[in-house]
């Protein structure tokens, strides 16, 4: 049995961002669907417990006898890799400015992320596996729509307005008959930068639990993703799982998860001027969002079409589909590197046996180096 351990930081935080949500969904579904020849455990910070009780195995970060998979390389957990000295894996939260020290199996959330890594560091493409995020199908499914036309947005307003909250006030002025609902991961920090005046058809929420999100999202007739960069956006795939059509810019990892939805090409934002630190969509790009929404909301047949397409495409991110990708990655780590990353007590062997073992190990190591060297390259 191959024992695979996720070394991570948090399951729960005051601000539940995408990586924390995905950690909980991963613990729930990989535990539930785990095949009999694998054993999966999670090693979070002390005192951390998952949101959803699916009886995952929770162990210490330094427990021996397990393959170590580091969910991120920018926390203090990552120093453990220097102590164990064995094989390990990494992803999907990767800071390329931090040296890895060796070439290891890596999982990323999109082909966009994989391409970014290959463009920036010299790394074997065959070691990088693409595993998108999971939609929790227990929670995100079609629900009755709001009585009045309602359009939603999910994100935050930190990080140079990268989630594009300024789109919603622009649309709210254009469509006074439509209700707009904004769900922020935390209380807005720079609301005065994107909402200069209160508008009666904008409702702002924050701190909504993941469990309660689908009750709100499922009521929407459409969702606007105003993001200026995304890897594998949970908010899009979860909205699609509720049968909610999505309007978004056709950039980065968005086309990989929402190719059937309304994706806007050639979108541009203004770089911050002196004394400013926020990236804002150009007026032309904001008008593109408005034109797409106008076209969608006033043609019932088109609205139904995109609902059905969203539901169909969301099945690509079902727990069963994505869990299988994770299990294949675990088998890759096992087969490529020979089992759990631990030092086990060995029985005494004769000197002849030890010499034969060392010679065999040298030959295997050299063969592996040659194999990696031959496969190294970019995609």
């Amino acid at each position: 049995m191959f024992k695979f351990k996720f070394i991570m930081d948090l399951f729960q935080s005051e601000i539940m961002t995408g990586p924390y949500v995905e950690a909980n969904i991963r613990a729930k579904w990989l535990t539930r669907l785990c095949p009999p020849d694998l054993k999966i455990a999670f090693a979070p910070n002390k005192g951390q417990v998952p949101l959803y009780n699916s009886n995952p195995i929770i162990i210490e970060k330094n427990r021996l006898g397990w393959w170590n998979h580091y969910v991120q390389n920018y926390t203090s957990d990552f120093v453990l890799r220097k102590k164990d000295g064995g094989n390990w894996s990494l992803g999907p939260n990767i800071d390329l400015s931090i040296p890895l020290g060796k070439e290891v199996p890596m999982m990323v959330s999109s082909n966009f992320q994989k391409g970014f890594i290959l463009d920036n560091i010299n790394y074997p493409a065959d070691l990088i596996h693409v595993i998108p995020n999971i939609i929790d199908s227990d929670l995100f499914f079609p629900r009755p729509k709001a009585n009045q036309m309602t359009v939603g947005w999910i994100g935050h307003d930190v990080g140079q307005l990268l989630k594009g909250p300024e789109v919603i006030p622009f649309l709210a002025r254009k469509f006074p008959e439509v209700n707009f609902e904004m769900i922020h991961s935390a209380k807005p920090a720079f609301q005065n930068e994107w909402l200069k005046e209160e508008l009666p058809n904008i409702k702002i929420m924050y701190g909504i639990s993941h469990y309660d999100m689908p009750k709100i999202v499922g009521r929407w007739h459409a969702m606007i993703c105003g993001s200026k960069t995304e890897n594998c956006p949970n908010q899009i795939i979860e909205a699609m799982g509720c049968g909610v059509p999505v309007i978004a810019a056709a950039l980065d990892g968005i086309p990989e998860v929402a190719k059937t939805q309304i994706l806007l090409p050639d979108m541009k934002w203004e770089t911050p001027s002196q004394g400013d630190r926020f990236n804002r969509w150009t007026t032309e790009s904001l008008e593109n969002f408005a034109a797409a929404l106008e076209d969608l909301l006033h043609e019932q047949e088109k609205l139904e079409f995109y609902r059905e397409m969203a539901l169909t495409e969301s099945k690509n991110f079902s727990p069963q589909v994505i869990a299988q990708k994770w299990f294949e990655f675990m088998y890759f780590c096992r087969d490529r590197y020979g089992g759990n990353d631990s030092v086990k007590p060995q029985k005494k062997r004769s000197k002849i046996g030890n010499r034969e073992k060392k010679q065999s190990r040298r030959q295997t190591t050299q063969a592996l180096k040659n194999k990696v060297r031959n496969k190294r390259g970019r995609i």
Side-chain angles (χ1 to χ4, degrees):
M1 177 181 290
F2 184 56
K3 298 193 294 184
F4 189 96
K5 174 178 58 177
F6 287 90
I7 297 180
M8 48 175 287
D9 53 357
L10 304 179
F11 278 121
Q12 300 191 46
S13 172
E14 185 177 348
I15 301 175
M16 288 296 291
T17 58
Y20 300 147
V21 169
E22 193 59 23
N24 284 280
I25 300 174
R26 201 179 291 136
K28 174 181 177 179
W29 285 102
L30 295 188
T31 298
R32 186 180 294 185
L33 299 173
C34 184
D37 58 344
L38 291 174
K39 192 172 185 179
I40 301 172
F42 300 84
N45 290 355
K46 198 169 184 178
Q48 282 284 314
V49 294
L51 287 172
Y52 304 113
N53 184 18
S54 57
N55 296 316
I57 299 173
I58 306 296
I59 62 176
E60 301 85 3
K61 296 175 188 287
N62 59 356
R63 177 79 66 87
L64 295 178
W66 295 77
W67 176 279
N68 289 331
H69 177 83
Y70 296 90
V71 174
Q72 63 266 329
N73 69 332
Y74 44 79
T75 58
S76 58
D77 306 329
F78 195 57
V79 301
L80 288 172
R81 85 199 191 284
K82 296 180 180 179
K83 296 179 180 179
D84 59 41
N87 295 311
W88 46 275
S89 51
L90 175 66
N93 306 316
I94 305 167
D95 184 344
L96 294 182
S97 68
I98 300 174
L100 301 184
K102 64 188 296 186
E103 293 171 349
V104 300
M106 211 184 263
M107 65 73 48
V108 295
S109 300
S110 66
N111 282 297
F112 161 73
Q113 186 183 10
K114 179 174 181 176
F116 182 82
I117 291 172
L118 293 175
D119 286 343
N120 285 275
I121 63 174
N122 183 23
Y123 210 82
D126 67 311
L127 288 182
I128 306 177
H129 296 237
V130 177
I131 307 177
N133 293 341
I134 300 172
I135 297 175
D136 191 333
S137 54
D138 283 350
L139 301 175
F140 293 88
F141 51 82
R143 299 168 187 259
K145 301 300 177 186
N147 293 329
Q148 185 173 347
M149 190 65 71
T150 303
V151 174
W153 173 96
I154 301 172
H156 53 69
D157 66 352
V158 297
Q160 298 181 314
L161 302 186
L162 291 180
K163 298 295 182 181
E166 72 273 19
V167 177
I168 299 304
F170 182 87
L171 296 177
R173 294 185 185 95
K174 287 266 187 180
F175 301 93
E177 75 283 5
V178 175
N179 285 336
F180 291 87
E181 295 183 346
M182 304 181 74
I183 302 178
H184 289 251
S185 56
K187 185 176 181 179
F190 301 100
Q191 185 170 319
N192 62 324
E193 293 290 341
W194 50 270
L195 184 61
K196 301 297 184 183
E197 58 181 331
E198 289 191 17
L199 297 172
N201 58 336
I202 293 182
K203 181 180 180 181
I204 297 174
M205 297 169 275
Y206 60 89
I208 306 298
S209 72
H210 185 251
Y211 180 82
D212 290 325
M213 286 287 286
K215 301 171 189 176
I216 301 172
V217 174
R219 298 172 58 255
W220 295 346
H221 295 83
M223 188 186 86
I224 300 292
C225 175
S227 296
K228 304 172 182 79
T229 182
E230 287 287 357
N231 183 10
C232 183
N234 283 65
Q235 73 271 29
I236 287 182
I237 62 176
E238 290 177 342
M240 290 165 56
C242 293
V244 176
V246 175
I247 300 173
L251 48 73
D252 297 351
I254 293 176
E256 291 183 48
V257 302
K259 58 180 178 291
T260 65
Q261 297 303 288
I262 303 169
L263 303 184
L264 309 175
D266 303 321
M267 297 287 279
K268 298 179 176 61
W269 59 85
E270 300 167 345
T271 55
S273 57
Q274 188 173 3
D276 193 4
R277 52 176 171 165
F278 299 103
N279 295 307
R280 294 177 173 83
W281 289 112
T282 63
T283 301
E284 181 182 2
S285 294
L286 292 172
E287 291 288 357
N288 290 340
F289 277 112
L293 187 61
E294 171 82 24
D295 189 41
L296 179 65
L297 296 185
H298 292 85
E299 291 190 35
Q300 188 62 30
E301 289 185 4
K302 185 170 287 189
L303 193 61
E304 292 297 330
F305 170 79
Y306 281 109
R307 282 176 184 164
E308 291 301 318
M309 295 303 289
L311 281 171
T312 299
E313 190 169 8
S314 72
K315 291 179 172 58
N316 296 333
F317 312 99
S318 72
Q320 291 75 17
V321 170
I322 305 304
Q324 184 57 39
K325 293 181 183 294
W326 267 109
F327 301 148
E328 290 170 0
F329 177 73
M330 294 174 190
Y331 291 137
F332 175 85
C333 295
R334 178 196 67 185
D335 298 340
R336 182 78 173 251
Y337 296 96
N340 296 321
D341 183 25
S342 63
V343 179
K344 300 179 180 178
Q346 300 292 323
K347 295 180 180 180
K348 291 184 178 180
R349 291 182 172 85
S350 67
K351 293 182 179 180
I352 295 177
N354 285 334
R355 283 198 300 269
E356 290 174 347
K357 182 179 178 181
K358 289 179 181 178
Q359 182 178 2
S360 174
R361 187 163 57 240
R362 283 196 297 269
Q363 291 171 347
T364 301
T365 302
Q366 188 58 47
L368 180 59
K369 287 181 178 179
N370 292 338
K371 186 176 182 180
V372 172
R373 189 179 296 115
N374 291 337
K375 288 189 175 183
R376 184 173 295 165
R378 298 177 182 268
I379 58 170

